[in-house]
Amino acid sequence: MSTRRNFLQKFSALAALGATPPFLDSAQGKSFLQSIDRINALSVEDSVQDETFWYQVRQAYTVSSALINLNNGGVCPQPKVVQEAVERYNRLSNETPSYYMWRTLDEGREPLRRRLADLAGVSQEEVAINRNSSEALETIIFGLRLKAGDEVVLTKQDYPNMINAWKQREKRDGIVLKWINLELPSEDKNYLVKSYVDAFSAKTKVVQITHLINWIGQILPVKEIAREAHKRGIEVLVDGAHTFAHFQYSVADLDCDYYGTSLHKWLCAPFGSGMLYVKKEKIKNLYPLLAAPDAESEDIRKFENLGTRSFAIEQGINQAIDFHEMIGGERKEKRLHYLKNYWAEKANAMPRVKVKTSLKLEYGCAIGLLTIEGKKPGDIASFFHQNYKIHCVGIEWENIKGVRITPNVYTTTRELDTLVKAIEQFSKQV
């Protein structure tokens, strides 16, 4: 009962404005709250396969029943309470924009900063609120004080926006990019760490580590790579776009200097919300992406000098955190891993079919890459959509080729049974 009570108490500020979340007052909302009470009496392991509970979670979203969405690796839908919050805050802002946006909602940034910092396991003085991973990470990439000849280590499997940002610095500033071409999937931690270490030299100033390779779902041993980098005086930038609120970890435990993530992915926050982390002692020497009154300030807020932005989107992050905490981070992580393995184990048992993502929790969670011998990724994805209304994406990037399958907490095992049926049918085609 305490989880449910705490969740409702967090809406007391909204109640003061006469705006309690409509979903929680509905029959579906009350049923959802009752399911939270029931599931908290079970162990995490038992709750992972409780399909009745996860069906109630699905009812807390507005996802289509006519389309099976298995492309949550791109952007995740928001639960109803988040959608309602954004709509409510937007209406409030429009009553008197300069008053409510700058005197009421703007003041809500500091409590939100504290909540994000708590979720990340870092100090609130190290967290800035941005719009997405690209903005957060490019703030770092373009803000680092690098000069001609300085080396940056990254991989060919990193996200294109980050790769392009580094290439721009290469062209403009003469820095040197040293590329790693990872052979994935891998459950060999030594190989993964060594791939980075072998690329380090006396000229290496920065290493970028993508926590989870989005194309394939590979989790990298960030902490171990970071440790080796710091031994050599190398700064560590982590792309956490696909891991924050996906599985359990503390940003502080990653031992990185800089970190960026998108909150509209696995936290299911409003579209266009993100977070930047900069270790406290690194803030002063990192230039902001958009000019601030004092570019060398030690205040993390210099990275939020965006000007007018959607405060409705920003404040809606609070409800996403509430929803995430109601489900529970550990329960969510294990359910996502269970869903990936649910379809992947069945697919791996089929002739000509292979899932090229580890089934071990240390190396993979929700995202899986499906391959069918002799079949092109685009053709597989098209067949799934045309014949089973399954939405997924074909991947062809560097040495990674397949169809990315990404369920979420609202995905049912029945939908995954449909996926397995589609895989079986297509794999038998000559």
Side-chain angles (χ1 to χ4, degrees), residues 359-413:
L359 301 190
K360 295 181 180 178
L361 188 56
E362 183 179 4
Y363 297 103
C365 195
I367 299 175
L369 188 77
L370 169 72
T371 63
I372 300 177
E373 184 182 330
K375 303 295 184 182
K376 296 179 180 179
D379 292 340
I380 301 171
S382 293
F383 176 85
F384 288 174
H385 183 264
Q386 291 171 8
N387 294 275
Y388 290 91
K389 296 303 177 188
I390 295 171
H391 173 54
C392 54
V393 62
I395 299 292
E396 293 196 41
W397 181 258
E398 294 298 333
N399 55 353
I400 299 174
K401 292 180 174 59
V403 175
R404 189 178 67 184
I405 305 294
T406 316
N408 205 332
V409 291
Y410 61 81
T411 305
T412 65
T413 52

Side-chain angles (χ1 to χ4, degrees), residues 61-114:
Y61 285 81
T62 58
V63 292
S64 172
S65 58
L67 189 68
I68 299 175
N69 182 15
L70 295 179
N71 190 24
N72 291 280
V75 61
C76 297
Q78 303 151 38
K80 294 176 183 176
V81 290
V82 176
Q83 295 179 47
E84 291 169 353
V86 172
E87 293 167 1
R88 184 168 56 248
Y89 286 130
N90 196 50
R91 287 195 298 269
L92 180 64
S93 295
N94 275 288
E95 289 185 12
T96 310
S98 63
Y99 179 84
Y100 286 109
M101 289 174 64
W102 297 339
R103 295 193 184 184
T104 303
L105 298 182
D106 200 8
E107 291 177 359
R109 185 175 295 129
E110 294 312 311
L112 175 58
R113 191 189 315 279
R114 287 195 295 271

